[in-house]
Amino acid sequence: MCRVVDLQQAVLAKNDDCAEQLRADLAARGTAVVNLLSSPGSGKTALLELELALAARRGVPVAALTADLATENDAVRLARSGVPVKQVLTDGLCHLEARMLGGHLDGWLPADTRLLFVENVGNLVCPASYDLGESLRVVLASVTEGEDKPVKYPTAFGLANLVVVTKTDIAGAVGFDEAAFRRHVQQVNPGVEVVLTSARSGAGVGALLDRALAAADGAPVHSPVMAGRQPDRHHHGDHDHTHSHDHPAAHTHADVAAVPGR
C-alpha cells in the first residue's frame, strides 16, 4: 500500500506563516494589501483601473500588482491610472502565494504606499486557499456569471471580507436575480457586505477604495465564518488536491510605467 502524504496541508501552513510575516512587515511601513479574486472576465481590471485613478485624484498613494499566466495586457490598462503598476507572469501557476508576492515587492513598492491592490490570477478555486498577507479580501462576480456562483465556489466567497458585483448596468438584460445572489452569498458567508458596481456607468465606483482605506486605518472588517475553520482553508479551493507548489519567488515579471493619455 502507498502512504498518502498531505503535501498541500504543509504547503498552505507554510504559506500562512509567510503571509503573517508579510502582513506584519507591510503594516510596519503603513501599507495594507487588498487581495482581489474573481473568475476571468468578471470586469475586475476595468473596475480596478477606475478605483486606482480615483485614488490618484484624491492624492492617496496606491500601487497595483497584477498576476496572469501570460501577457501584460492588464498591467498596461492599469498603468493608465498613473499609479505604480507591476505585472507578474506566473508561468502557468493558477494563483499567487505570499512568498512570491513578498519577493516581487522588494525594491519595487514605493515606501509611501498606503494601499497595494493585488489582482490575483483569474480563478475562483486555487487563489481562495492562499492568504497573501492581505488586510481586505475582496471577491468579485459579474451579473453574467449567475446567481449561484457563491454556492458553487463556497471557499472563495466564504472567506471574503467584501463581495463586489460588477457590470450591473446590464443586469436587466441578462436577467440577473440580485435577491437570489444575495441569499447565496449569505448562505456561505453570513453578514458579509455586497457592493454593486458598474465600471461603464460609474455606479458604485469608489466604494472599494473607501472600504480598503477604512481597513487600512484599522476599522473593523467583516470576519468570515469560515476563517476560523482551518481544514476548510487548507485545501485547494473547492477541489481537494494534495500536490505541492514549490515555486521560486522570482517569476517572470515586468514593471509597467504609466502612459499618459492611454
Side-chain angles (χ1 to χ4, degrees):
M1 294 181 63
C2 296
R3 185 168 65 93
V4 177
V5 179
D6 190 353
L7 295 179
Q8 190 68 16
Q9 183 81 14
V11 169
L12 287 168
K14 182 178 180 180
N15 181 83
D16 284 350
D17 290 341
C18 291
E20 286 299 331
Q21 185 61 56
L22 181 60
R23 185 179 290 109
D25 291 346
L26 290 173
R29 55 180 282 174
T31 301
V33 174
V34 182
N35 185 8
L36 305 176
L37 292 78
S38 79
S39 300
S42 68
K44 178 167 74 266
T45 306
L47 178 63
L48 181 54
E49 182 182 348
L50 294 178
E51 299 283 350
L52 294 175
L54 178 60
R57 292 196 299 273
R58 290 183 181 178
V60 179
V62 301
L65 182 146
T66 181
D68 279 302
L69 275 66
T71 82
E72 298 176 4
N73 295 348
D74 287 353
V76 171
R77 290 175 60 186
L78 294 179
R80 296 184 300 202
S81 66
V83 310
V85 174
K86 170 175 272 195
Q87 176 77 58
V88 173
L89 302 182
T90 65
D91 298 330
L93 188 62
C94 60
H95 61 273
L96 286 174
E97 298 175 9
R99 181 169 59 91
M100 295 164 54
L101 177 60
H104 285 296
L105 300 184
D106 284 344
W108 168 71
L109 189 66
D112 66 342
T113 303
R114 188 75 185 102
L115 294 173
L116 171 64
F117 288 90
V118 177
E119 185 179 15
N120 220 313
V121 179
N123 185 337
L124 282 176
V125 179
C126 303
S129 296
Y130 288 85
D131 184 357
L132 298 183
E134 65 261 24
S135 298
L136 190 70
R137 174 176 289 210
V138 183
V139 176
L140 302 91
S142 72
V143 298
T144 61
E145 296 178 64
E147 298 83 3
D148 60 349
K149 207 73 166 183
V151 290
K152 281 189 172 182
Y153 297 91
T155 302
F157 284 88
L159 290 174
N161 304 117
L162 176 69
V163 174
V164 173
V165 180
T166 61
K167 305 183 182 181
T168 57
D169 56 294
I170 58 171
V174 299
F176 178 67
D177 187 336
E178 180 186 335
F181 180 84
R182 288 181 179 273
R183 284 197 304 272
H184 289 144
V185 169
Q186 295 305 313
Q187 182 178 332
V188 300
N189 194 344
V192 70
E193 183 183 11
V194 177
V195 174
L196 305 181
T197 68
S198 167
R200 177 173 291 179
S201 72
V205 173
L208 176 57
L209 178 61
D210 289 342
R211 304 304 189 277
L213 284 171
D217 289 337
V221 299
H222 171 73
S223 181
V225 173
M226 290 184 68
R229 302 213 309 263
Q230 290 305 311
D232 284 338
R233 185 135 188 177
H234 284 173
H235 66 72
H236 208 327
D238 298 297
H239 298 281
D240 190 12
H241 297 286
T242 56
H243 57 279
S244 171
H245 294 305
D246 189 13
H247 294 268
H251 288 259
T252 306
H253 66 276
D255 296 323
V256 181
V259 182
R262 289 191 63 179

